[in-house]
Amino acid sequence: MINQLGLVGKKSVVTPGIKHENEKDEELDDEELDGKFSTMYRAICARANYLSQDRLDIKFAVKEISRRMARPRRRDWRKLVRLTKYLIGK
């Protein structure tokens, strides 16, 4: 997941997800991902889902990103990146 998202050597975060995001530009965040990124989003979500079977600390965050697999948007991509940054530190 870390290699696929290009996050090697990046800083980690302390939580796998956040309750509410500050929506700076709602129109931009509501934009659907194109075909290539949608496919990548689904593949990484599937990996995260596999990991969450043994890792209770990421179970809720993975459930939330998995809810959007049919039509992922940019804000969902950011949630996936945050989960991956959390895994960097763990």
Side-chain angles (χ1 to χ4, degrees):
M1 289 172 59
I2 296 167
N3 289 334
Q4 199 169 11
L5 287 173
L7 297 175
V8 176
K10 299 289 183 176
K11 290 184 178 180
S12 66
V13 294
V14 295
T15 60
I18 53 177
K19 201 170 201 176
H20 297 286
E21 285 188 9
N22 292 332
E23 297 295 333
K24 294 176 185 167
D25 191 0
E26 291 184 23
E27 289 179 14
L28 185 63
D29 285 343
D30 206 32
E31 179 182 322
E32 283 190 41
L33 296 175
D34 65 351
K36 175 186 170 187
F37 285 105
S38 291
T39 302
M40 188 184 300
Y41 180 88
R42 291 181 188 109
I44 296 171
C45 280
R47 279 195 191 99
N49 199 13
Y50 179 77
L51 285 174
S52 72
Q53 294 176 13
D54 296 329
R55 308 248 344 215
L56 297 178
D57 57 337
I58 64 170
K59 203 165 208 54
F60 182 78
V62 171
K63 178 195 69 105
E64 290 299 311
I65 63 170
S66 296
R67 292 173 67 191
R68 304 291 184 181
M69 285 180 76
R71 295 178 62 194
R73 302 194 182 285
R74 294 185 113 192
R75 64 177 164 238
D76 305 320
W77 183 266
R78 282 201 326 268
K79 290 177 185 179
L80 183 64
V81 169
R82 181 170 182 93
L83 172 66
T84 306
K85 284 183 176 180
Y86 173 77
L87 291 174
I88 288 172
K90 300 296 176 179

